[in-house]
């Protein structure tokens, strides 16, 4: 995924880390968000099977002769193949790169089942009993 204002995001999976954490491949989202303050500028939300990362940074510099303003906004939503568990999502910010790990729990495999069809006895007038 490419983002505006020099930011980029890419979703990858880390299967070795996922196996160690007891989950099927753990999706990993990485976003280049240089110059951000992770506590003030970055927000991560989870709703159902969707993880959203948004960031907004404003900076102004005023000197005697001129003023400079920098502004950047970033938002990406990633839909995962299953509902995101309420616990265990981890986010870290280092050297301008945000990394979010989502431990997806292995869903029980659905097995094919046969459903028996019962014959009902009918009365002589087409009604069943």
């Amino acid at each position: 995924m490419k983002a505006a204002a020099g930011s980029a995001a890419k979703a990858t999976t880390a299967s070795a880390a996922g196996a160690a954490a007891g989950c099927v491949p753990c999706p990993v989202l990485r976003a280049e968000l240089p110059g951000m303050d992770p506590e003030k500028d970055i927000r991560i939300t989870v709703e159902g099977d969707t993880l959203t990362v948004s960031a907004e940074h404003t900076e102004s510099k005023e000197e005697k002769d001129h003023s400079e303003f920098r502004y950047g906004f970033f938002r990406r939503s990633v839909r995962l193949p299953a509902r995101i568990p309420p616990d265990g999502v981890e986010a870290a910010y280092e050297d301008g790169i945000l990394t979010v790990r989502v431990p997806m729990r292995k869903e029980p495999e659905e097995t094919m089942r046969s459903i028996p069809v019962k014959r009902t006895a009918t009365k002589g007038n087409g009604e069943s009993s």
Side-chain angles (χ1 to χ4, degrees):
M1 289 185 261
K2 272 291 197 191
S7 300
K10 180 172 76 171
T12 60
T13 58
S15 54
C23 54
V24 292
C26 287
V28 176
L29 173 85
R30 289 188 179 94
E32 294 175 282
L33 300 170
M36 298 283 180
D37 179 344
E39 281 116 21
K40 293 186 333 186
D41 299 335
I42 300 173
R43 182 170 182 236
I44 301 170
T45 58
V46 171
E47 184 177 348
D49 62 352
T50 304
L51 178 118
T52 301
V53 175
S54 55
E56 184 172 7
H57 180 72
T58 57
E59 183 179 325
S60 64
K61 184 178 179 182
E62 295 189 33
E63 294 181 5
K64 185 177 181 181
D65 298 355
H66 72 284
S67 299
E68 290 183 26
F69 299 94
R70 292 189 331 166
Y71 173 85
F73 181 78
F74 168 88
R75 174 178 289 151
R76 287 293 180 271
S77 293
V78 178
R79 190 166 179 206
L80 299 175
R83 188 171 190 79
I84 299 168
D87 299 325
V89 178
E90 297 177 357
Y93 182 82
E94 184 177 355
D95 297 330
I97 297 177
L98 174 70
T99 302
V100 182
R101 285 184 169 70
V102 183
M104 302 299 290
R105 300 292 173 220
K106 187 173 181 178
E107 297 286 325
E109 291 185 27
E110 291 189 29
T111 57
M112 186 174 174
R113 300 182 299 155
S114 293
I115 309 299
V117 178
K118 298 178 185 173
R119 181 181 298 265
T120 56
T122 58
K123 297 179 185 177
N125 57 7
E127 295 177 16
S128 58
S129 53

